[in-house]
């Protein structure tokens, strides 16, 4: 297929991250050059949003464990899924969770060359 697949899960503990696909609240097919928008209801005890994306072009996986404390209230969480990488475009305030911001700078690099 030509679609990438994303799993979104709401976690109470960081240790549940390895179970993202099993605990996923939603599995999403992402078609190139098409926007996907969805609204999910977070359970009250959620501390993290886990996102795992299987990238169709590279057959690699990109993943994020996003602390709820880093989310902004004025803009939705927005991700960009490319052929080789996934980046967070909007919806987090990097000043709220400095340790998370440091990880983002490292992990939001392209996984492989797309040449």
């Amino acid at each position: 297929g030509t679609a990438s697949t994303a799993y979104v899960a709401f976690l109470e503990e960081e240790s549940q991250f390895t179970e993202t696909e099993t605990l996923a609240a939603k599995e999403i097919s992402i078609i190139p050059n098409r926007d996907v928008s969805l609204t999910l209801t977070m359970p009250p005890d959620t501390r993290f949003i886990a996102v795992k994306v299987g990238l169709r072009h590279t057959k690699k996986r990109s993943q994020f464990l996003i602390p709820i404390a880093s989310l902004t209230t004025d803009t939705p969480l927005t991700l960009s899924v490319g052929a080789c990488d996934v980046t967070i475009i909007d919806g987090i305030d990097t000043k709220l969770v400095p340790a998370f911001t440091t990880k983002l700078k490292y992990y939001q690099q392209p996984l492989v060359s797309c040449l």
Side-chain angles (χ1 to χ4, degrees):
T2 60
S4 294
T5 303
Y7 298 91
V8 179
F10 301 111
L11 310 178
E12 293 177 25
E13 301 296 329
E14 192 171 343
S15 62
Q16 294 174 300
F17 189 49
T18 57
E19 303 170 53
T20 297
E21 292 177 29
T22 306
L23 299 172
K26 187 73 175 175
E27 179 181 332
I28 308 151
S29 287
I30 302 168
I31 308 289
N33 300 316
R34 288 193 194 164
D35 288 345
V36 175
S37 178
L38 63 124
T39 302
L40 300 173
T41 303
M42 276 191 294
D45 295 334
T46 300
R47 292 183 47 225
F48 300 95
I49 296 175
V51 179
K52 288 192 178 182
V53 181
L55 297 164
R56 67 168 179 86
H57 181 71
T58 61
K59 307 295 184 218
K60 300 288 183 181
R61 182 177 67 191
S62 187
Q63 54 194 20
F64 292 104
L65 181 65
I66 304 166
I68 294 300
S70 70
L71 297 178
T72 62
T73 56
D74 52 344
T75 56
L77 180 62
T78 306
L79 303 177
S80 173
V81 178
C84 297
D85 60 352
V86 179
T87 55
I88 297 175
I89 302 298
D90 207 354
I92 63 167
D93 184 341
T94 55
K95 293 178 223 123
L96 294 175
V97 185
F100 174 62
T101 304
T102 302
K103 286 181 184 178
L104 273 183
K105 287 179 185 173
Y106 177 75
Y107 288 112
Q108 286 198 141
Q109 302 301 317
L111 297 173
V112 295
S113 174
C114 275
L115 299 175

